[in-house]
């Protein structure tokens, strides 16, 4: 979705929230630009007063471009929270999808606009998608925005949501070399040994020769003995003499006792109740250890 001055789109009828057909066309613009309306422009560029004036004049807040881009999409792509709130307060559809399945929430997550993420979730945005383009959690993981991940989980997204060919958000974070996002997912209970096409996150990190990810995954209980469909362990995929290979070789077959206790306690608590560790009558240091803080 390209939302800039030239939008490579052609004119099309769009439907307002009232069901009225609206034709967005400007004879002074070329055909490829003619359905990018003034209300889109105001939202995209963060012009709150201009947006308020257009809404007061009766402009439709759910006006779509050819690619089904709404003004709210534009505001969330740019992180203009005030414009997004104004649109929502005037009836903007928070779950409107573009032709390629992107919601305003998915766009905000892909760009790390956490204030827009929280605003959308508070107003009923769906935190779950069914593809890479539509899944807010996978997009936040892929682009490395850990600050957007926790609100999604709090509003019902599954930290282990599996999407065909992509796997879980943790797989996506590892494949895109995003250790910050991977760390947040693991803290929130992501399954470290789940596989996609037979490869675990540790297989992916080893293949990419990323020592930071390898160390992080091992610390969260990744099984270095798992084999993929070709019978290869993570160690077999790491480039020879690389830091990742050295880490995998140095890792003991049996983790330290403290690590085993932490992993077992977290497993017993369950990913949905990890936040409850804060409320346990335990020393602060122990709670922080259990939560990987």
């Amino acid at each position: 979705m390209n939302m800039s001055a030239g939008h490579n789109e052609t004119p099309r009828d769009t439907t307002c929230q009232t069901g009225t057909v609206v034709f967005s066309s400007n004879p002074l613009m070329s055909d490829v630009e003619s359905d990018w309306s003034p209300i889109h422009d105001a939202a995209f560029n963060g012009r709150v007063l201009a947006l308020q004036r257009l809404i007061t004049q009766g402009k439709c807040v759910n006006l779509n471009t050819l690619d089904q881009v709404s003004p709210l999409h534009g505001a969330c792509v740019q992180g203009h929270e005030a414009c997004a709130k104004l649109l929502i307060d005037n009836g903007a559809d928070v779950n409107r999808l573009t032709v390629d399945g992107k919601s305003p929430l998915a766009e905000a997550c892909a760009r790390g606009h956490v204030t827009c993420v929280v605003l959308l979730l508070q107003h009923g945005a769906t935190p779950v998608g069914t593809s890479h383009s539509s899944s807010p959690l996978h997009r936040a993981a892929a682009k490395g925005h850990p600050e957007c991940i926790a609100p999604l989980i709090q509003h019902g997204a599954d930290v282990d949501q599996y999407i065909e060919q992509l796997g879980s958000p943790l797989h996506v974070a590892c494949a895109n070399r995003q250790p910050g996002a991977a760390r947040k997912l693991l803290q929130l209970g992501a399954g470290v040994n789940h596989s996609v096409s037979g490869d675990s996150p540790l297989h992916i990190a080893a293949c990419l020769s990323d020592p930071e990810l390898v160390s992080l995954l091992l610390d969260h209980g990744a099984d270095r003995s798992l084999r993929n469909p070709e019978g290869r362990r993570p160690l077999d995929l790491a480039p020879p003499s690389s830091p990742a290979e050295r880490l995998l070789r140095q890792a003991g077959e049996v983790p330290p006792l403290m690590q085993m206790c932490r992993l077992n306690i977290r497993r017993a608590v369950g990913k949905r109740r990890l936040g409850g560790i804060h409320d346990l009558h335990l020393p602060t240091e122990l709670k922080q250890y259990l939560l990987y803080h």
Side-chain angles (χ1 to χ4, degrees):
M1 176 171 58
N2 182 11
M3 290 187 249
S4 56
H7 292 279
N8 297 325
E9 297 164 356
T10 54
R12 181 180 175 172
D13 310 1
T14 54
T15 303
C16 187
Q17 65 197 80
T18 61
T20 305
V21 175
V22 180
F23 296 87
S24 178
S25 174
N26 183 343
L28 301 179
M29 299 172 69
S30 69
D31 285 345
V32 297
E33 298 174 349
S34 59
D35 71 339
W36 186 258
S37 71
I39 196 168
H40 286 88
D41 189 69
F44 183 80
N45 290 292
R47 296 172 182 150
V48 180
L49 295 179
L51 183 61
Q52 178 67 74
R53 184 167 60 253
L54 289 165
I55 292 172
T56 300
Q57 291 171 358
K59 301 300 181 183
C60 178
V61 295
N62 286 314
L63 185 65
N64 283 336
T65 67
L66 172 66
D67 289 338
Q68 300 298 298
V69 176
S70 69
L72 185 58
H73 281 99
C76 291
V77 162
Q78 295 294 86
H80 297 311
E81 181 193 5
C83 285
K85 187 175 188 309
L86 182 58
L87 289 163
I88 292 170
D89 288 346
N90 284 275
D93 183 355
V94 295
N95 290 311
R96 182 68 57 91
L97 300 179
T98 63
V99 291
D100 51 358
K102 296 173 183 175
S103 66
L105 180 59
E107 293 288 40
C109 285
R111 291 161 176 80
H113 300 315
V114 67
T115 54
C116 285
V117 169
V118 172
L119 174 71
L120 290 162
L121 289 168
Q122 289 173 341
H123 286 83
T126 302
V128 179
T130 57
S131 66
H132 176 61
S133 62
S134 68
S135 171
L137 196 52
H138 284 78
R139 298 197 74 193
K143 296 297 184 179
H145 298 303
E147 67 279 7
C148 295
I149 291 173
L152 293 169
I153 303 302
Q154 290 165 4
H155 283 79
D158 182 359
V159 72
D160 287 320
Q161 183 194 359
Y162 186 90
I163 291 178
E164 198 68 35
Q165 304 303 320
L166 288 174
S168 69
L170 182 58
H171 286 102
V172 170
C174 291
N176 287 275
R177 307 183 86 154
Q178 300 291 353
R183 180 175 291 106
K184 177 57 69 174
L185 290 163
L186 288 163
Q187 286 176 347
L188 293 171
V192 72
N193 290 315
H194 293 178
S195 66
V196 55
S197 300
D199 284 329
S200 69
L202 189 57
H203 281 97
I204 295 170
C207 188
L208 292 172
S209 191
D210 191 314
E212 185 176 2
L213 279 172
V214 168
S215 178
L216 176 68
L217 294 166
L218 288 171
D219 194 37
H220 283 79
D223 186 348
R224 57 194 290 276
S225 67
L226 286 178
R227 295 181 182 272
N228 64 14
E230 289 76 41
R232 306 181 74 184
R233 301 167 301 165
L235 179 61
D236 301 324
L237 299 179
S241 303
S242 66
E245 187 205 37
R246 287 195 292 272
L247 276 171
L248 288 164
R249 287 193 182 280
Q250 291 166 4
E253 291 292 342
V254 179
L257 181 59
M258 281 183 63
Q259 173 73 341
M260 290 178 66
C261 290
R262 172 165 62 181
L263 293 172
N264 282 318
I265 290 171
R266 286 174 61 89
R267 195 174 299 117
V269 170
K271 64 184 179 183
R272 289 293 183 187
R273 297 184 297 169
L274 284 174
I277 290 176
H278 285 293
D279 303 322
L280 296 177
H281 296 293
L282 296 171
T284 300
E285 294 81 1
L286 181 54
K287 287 190 283 189
Q288 289 177 337
Y289 180 73
L290 291 173
L291 292 166
Y292 285 93
H293 289 171

